[in-house]
Amino acid sequence: MRRLVATGRSNAELAAHFGVTESGILQAKRTAGLAKPMLDHGRALPWKLNRVHNQTGPATNLRNLSAIAQGAHVPQAKVNTALRWARRLAESGLDVGYSYEDGFYERPVEGTSHIEAVLNEALRALGESGSGTTTKPSDAQ
């Protein structure tokens, strides 16, 4: 299996080759140390999301900021988009909230800013210092 994984075969292809389910392939890959570690976005997305809100801009930006903070590779365009979005909120004194029925919404910061905490974790991982409210986007964005 290690050799087939190294050739870039998909889990579906591996499952067909070995006559098992894709779930079985994932389990075997984890056991053999061949699976990429799963990222945990629970801190960035602490809400139980309604399925219809999973791919919205705020959910995607929060997941991308979380991935950055965890050291995962995120394409530069997605990094720029997520940082620009989070900085806009933080610099405006806004935070993000969530309602299972209605989705994400912007609201004034009450106490600790969730968006600023997520932003600052991503900035630290990128090697940028300072608070999300004081670090300006670079001209490259």
Side-chain angles (χ1 to χ4, degrees), residues 23 66 91 95 115:
S23 177
S66 174
E91 291 169 359
D95 206 352
I115 197 67

Side-chain angles (χ1 to χ4, degrees), residues 4-141:
L4 294 173
V5 168
T7 66
R9 291 214 186 168
S10 70
N11 289 339
E13 291 170 326
L14 292 169
H17 177 82
F18 290 109
V20 299
T21 64
E22 287 184 54
S23 177
I25 291 296
L26 286 171
Q27 185 177 11
K29 285 172 77 173
R30 281 189 206 105
T31 301
L34 300 173
K36 295 178 185 174
M38 297 272 302
L39 297 177
D40 179 2
H41 301 305
R43 285 174 50 171
L45 288 161
W47 311 278
K48 178 177 176 15
L49 298 187
N50 185 328
R51 188 174 188 169
V52 300
H53 304 135
N54 275 339
Q55 300 304 315
T56 61
T60 299
N61 286 328
L62 287 166
R63 266 193 302 279
N64 285 334
L65 291 169
S66 174
I68 293 163
Q70 295 177 65
H73 171 72
V74 177
Q76 192 61 49
K78 291 182 179 187
V79 170
N80 294 345
T81 299
L83 291 176
R84 198 169 31 251
W85 172 77
R87 284 177 169 140
R88 178 187 61 79
L89 289 174
E91 291 169 359
S92 300
L94 296 172
D95 206 352
V96 65
Y98 180 75
S99 159
Y100 190 84
E101 294 79 24
D102 301 320
F104 290 93
Y105 57 92
E106 296 176 7
R107 62 175 175 78
V109 172
E110 298 169 3
T112 303
S113 170
H114 176 71
I115 197 67
E116 192 166 349
V118 173
L119 172 60
N120 284 333
E121 285 185 28
L123 290 173
R124 276 191 295 277
L126 291 170
E128 295 186 32
S129 61
S131 167
T133 58
T134 60
T135 305
K136 300 292 182 197
S138 70
D139 293 336
Q141 294 181 14

